Amino acid sequence: MKKIIIIFMSLLLLITLAGCSSQENSKENGSQTQAKKETIVIGTTSYFIDVVEYAKKEFEKTSDYELKIKVFDDIVQPNVALAEGSIDCNFYQHLPYLKAYNQNRDGNLVAYSDNGISCTFGVYSEKITSLDQLKKGDKVGIASDPSARTRCLKTLEHHGLIELREGIEFPSKRDITKNYKGLDIVEMNRSNTIVASLMDLDVGVTYGIHMLLADKDPASAIVWDSKESLRKFADILVVREEDKQAQWAKKLEEALISDSTAEFMREQFPGVYVRTN
Amino acid sequence: MGHNDLELLTEIVIPELGKTLYMVALSTLLSTILGFGLAILLVITDENGLSPNRLFYQALDTIINIVRSFPFIILIVALIPFTRLIVGTSIGFNAAIVPLVIAGSSFITRIIESSLKEVDNGLIEAAKSFGASNFQIIFKIMITEAIPSIVSGITFAIILLLGATAMAGAVGAGGLGMVAITYGYQVFNDTVMYGTVIVLIIIVQIIQTTGNLLYRKLS
């Protein structure tokens, strides 16, 4: 019995040590390559991975840097990581969210510029073809995370289905002051569940990219969010204040909004991304 | 923030608390029933059991391991078609019960199985020598002996299920966990975030204390 415990604990120890040493190795490699090329680490979320991977190639050609991509599955951590210095920039959020982060967390993160990439956003349905067909009690799926939820509610407001309380930065279900059709608004996960559960909803309000990733047609939206919304909620490159003038930031942004990246987005992800510059 | 935080707490926390408690209570009840059944099957068909059946045991054992390997959020999404079949929809707190019960019963089965296996073999042998039937051995001897340990294990499982309901918010089930994340953490509202956590701490304390009391009463 004692033997088994000793063997088990030794195995755990070995695995832990192996994990530690591989991390140290990569740090060493990092500092070795630093002699020839510096590494910039960019944080992003799942629906921009392909675009950032593509821009990486261009960035590495036009600059003296290597780009390392770190993927987060959380909408707060990429800013926290940026503020603490474990990444150099991030590309996943829109300006309103950045402002809220800075306000509430005393942050000094800045958008590199006004240029960015916006994701198309619409009201999708497998049951109806026009908003007029919505009836009392119909289920409307909206994102639960405040960043996307805001855009969902603003879209519904834009099309005259609801009215929202004024002055709320990130409104939620609670901030609906008028619900003209008596709709049942359900807050849920924006990507896999709104799209996967579209047949259980009457409409779902979400990003075209999530529809595309689920093999559904992003262009099939009944209605879209407003042009102002598309601009306002464009995702931008964010860096720490002190890097606002950095050369690598300039090159990186250029790569992200370049014509060839735009072409790539048009071809591989039709109807999903819109450059805003 | 534009809201009275106290207002938020009472307007959101109370209804979502209700949903959380409903999800935890119902999923625990159903998981325990299912878990008991599966655990008894495992214990009987085990090689040292009352009616060994190697193939059956291996099959059931493997299925339970597979279910337990799924990260819960992925289990929720993977089960959407099945959930739709049973509940008629894949969204809402009733729909969330399906993945909660699947995950919960796989966990509780293991707990009950191990509690039953701990029962002194001597007692079982003695019962056999008195001519007790398998049914009597299982229900009169094994389960009775294992009850305190089972109660203790289920207390543990309830608290785990409580944690799992936080992810059920992804399918529109609501619940306190979702409130803490989407009305607290993600909008940088510490009052809501920690306020909700405090409510959860109180709930867990109540559950654990009740479990401990029951354990002592039953031992």
Side-chain angles (χ1 to χ4, degrees):
Chain A
M1 189 54 194
K2 240 195 202 168
K3 262 198 207 160
I4 298 180
I5 296 180
I6 294 178
I7 296 177
F8 183 66
M9 295 305 272
S10 317
L11 217 72
L12 274 177
L13 194 61
L14 268 168
I15 296 174
T16 316
L17 286 172
C20 286
S21 72
S22 77
Q23 271 189 30
E24 276 187 33
N25 268 341
S26 52
K27 272 198 198 134
E28 270 174 34
N29 282 337
S31 53
Q32 267 173 24
T33 52
Q34 231 163 58
K36 343 175 204 165
K37 209 173 208 230
E38 266 188 70
T39 312
I40 298 294
V41 186
I42 183 170
T44 188
T45 47
S46 64
Y47 47 100
F48 273 121
I49 298 181
D50 295 293
V51 176
V52 176
E53 291 269 10
Y54 185 85
K56 168 179 151 120
K57 290 186 258 184
E58 200 172 310
F59 174 69
E60 289 181 346
K61 263 188 258 163
T62 62
S63 74
D64 283 324
Y65 296 93
E66 235 178 64
L67 189 68
K68 185 159 182 279
I69 303 174
K70 187 157 180 193
V71 184
F72 291 84
D73 59 2
D74 172 295
I75 62 171
V76 179
Q77 290 311 306
N79 280 338
V80 173
L82 181 57
E84 353 168 282
S86 56
I87 60 177
D88 301 299
C89 58
N90 64 41
F91 184 78
Y92 81 103
Q93 73 194 307
H94 47 62
L95 211 48
Y97 195 73
L98 176 65
K99 286 206 180 109
Y101 174 83
N102 282 332
Q103 244 172 348
N104 288 284
R105 293 292 181 232
D106 274 330
N108 64 345
L109 305 178
V110 295
Y112 179 76
S113 77
D114 283 338
N115 302 326
I117 300 176
S118 195
C119 298
T120 59
F121 197 87
V123 179
Y124 295 90
S125 176
E126 285 179 9
K127 292 190 177 156
I128 64 176
T129 50
S130 148
L131 292 181
D132 298 326
Q133 295 170 290
L134 283 170
K135 336 172 279 302
K136 184 171 159 78
D138 276 354
K139 287 195 160 59
V140 178
I142 65 172
S144 53
D145 74 277
S147 162
R149 182 177 62 201
T150 304
R151 201 168 173 185
C152 293
L153 289 169
K154 291 285 186 196
T155 304
L156 295 174
E157 189 181 43
H158 177 70
H159 289 283
L161 290 170
I162 59 172
E163 263 181 47
L164 292 166
R165 207 182 314 237
E166 302 239 345
I168 310 286
E169 189 69 56
F170 298 114
S172 73
K173 242 170 56 165
R174 293 184 65 239
D175 301 304
I176 296 177
T177 52
K178 292 211 171 59
N179 184 342
Y180 292 112
K181 292 210 171 191
L183 300 167
D184 179 13
I185 313 278
V186 185
E187 292 180 353
M188 52 203 299
N189 181 292
R190 62 157 100 162
S191 50
N192 41 10
T193 42
I194 290 186
V195 176
S197 301
L198 208 51
M199 68 170 89
D200 298 310
L201 293 165
D202 293 283
V203 296
V205 192
T206 188
Y207 294 85
I209 180 68
H210 296 316
M211 291 289 284
L212 187 67
L213 291 174
D215 287 325
K216 296 190 183 187
D217 183 11
S220 65
I222 307 179
V223 291
W224 303 97
D225 69 339
S226 65
K227 288 232 156 51
E228 290 79 42
S229 208
L230 193 73
R231 257 224 150 257
K232 179 174 180 192
F233 295 111
D235 296 297
I236 68 263
L237 181 66
V238 173
V239 297
R240 286 183 293 272
E241 179 114 53
E242 60 260 26
D243 291 323
K244 184 94 207 255
Q245 306 298 329
Q247 256 307 86
W248 58 260
K250 180 166 189 284
K251 293 288 175 189
L252 186 51
E253 201 215 39
E254 276 169 10
L256 282 166
I257 58 167
S258 73
D259 288 334
S260 87
T261 306
E263 181 70 36
F264 167 77
M265 295 191 302
R266 247 194 312 272
E267 284 177 5
Q268 300 298 321
F269 301 95
V272 162
Y273 299 112
V274 176
R275 240 188 336 181
T276 51
N277 54 340
Chain B
M1 260 269 116
H3 280 134
N4 181 343
D5 283 336
L6 199 55
E7 230 175 51
L8 255 170
L9 231 39
T10 48
E11 279 182 39
I12 298 191
V13 175
I14 311 274
E16 301 302 328
L17 171 61
K19 285 186 203 156
T20 297
L21 292 176
Y22 171 82
M23 282 191 279
V24 173
L26 189 55
S27 60
T28 304
L29 183 65
L30 295 173
S31 300
T32 307
I33 296 173
L34 198 56
F36 251 115
L38 292 172
I40 291 173
L41 283 172
L42 281 174
V43 165
I44 296 179
T45 57
D46 180 35
E47 50 187 0
N48 297 321
L50 297 168
S51 181
N53 184 332
R54 190 142 179 256
L55 198 59
F56 185 88
Y57 182 86
Q58 292 286 42
L60 190 51
D61 193 54
T62 308
I63 293 173
I64 292 177
N65 287 340
I66 292 175
V67 172
R68 295 200 61 204
S69 318
F70 273 74
F72 189 60
I73 187 78
I74 298 189
L75 188 66
I76 294 179
V77 180
L79 284 174
I80 284 182
F82 181 62
T83 304
R84 197 172 281 135
L85 204 66
I86 298 193
V87 185
T89 175
S90 61
I91 41 183
F93 49 79
N94 276 321
I97 300 287
V98 176
L100 282 169
V101 170
I102 302 283
S105 47
S106 69
F107 186 75
I108 291 185
T109 301
R110 286 287 178 230
I111 291 176
I112 299 182
E113 183 198 6
S114 85
S115 300
L116 288 173
K117 282 190 171 153
E118 297 272 292
V119 173
D120 188 353
N121 227 14
L123 278 169
I124 300 176
E125 292 301 320
K128 274 195 204 162
S129 70
F130 281 130
S133 70
N134 278 351
F135 184 85
Q136 285 171 315
I137 294 179
I138 297 170
F139 286 90
K140 293 262 160 78
I141 311 252
M142 292 178 83
I143 292 186
T144 318
E145 280 300 303
I147 282 278
S149 159
I150 291 176
V151 162
S152 167
I154 292 182
T155 307
F156 191 71
I158 295 179
I159 295 170
L160 260 151
L161 279 170
L162 180 63
T165 61
M167 282 173 268
V171 281
L176 283 178
M178 191 205 77
V179 169
I181 298 174
T182 64
Y183 286 71
Y185 170 65
Q186 291 176 334
V187 262
F188 318 109
N189 187 330
D190 289 336
T191 310
V192 170
M193 186 171 76
Y194 289 118
T196 327
V197 168
I198 290 174
V199 175
L200 287 166
I201 291 177
I202 296 173
I203 297 176
V204 169
Q205 271 303 115
I206 296 176
I207 295 173
Q208 191 60 58
T209 312
T210 312
N212 291 346
L213 269 165
L214 268 170
Y215 177 85
R216 253 171 280 152
K217 270 213 134 163
L218 293 166
S219 305

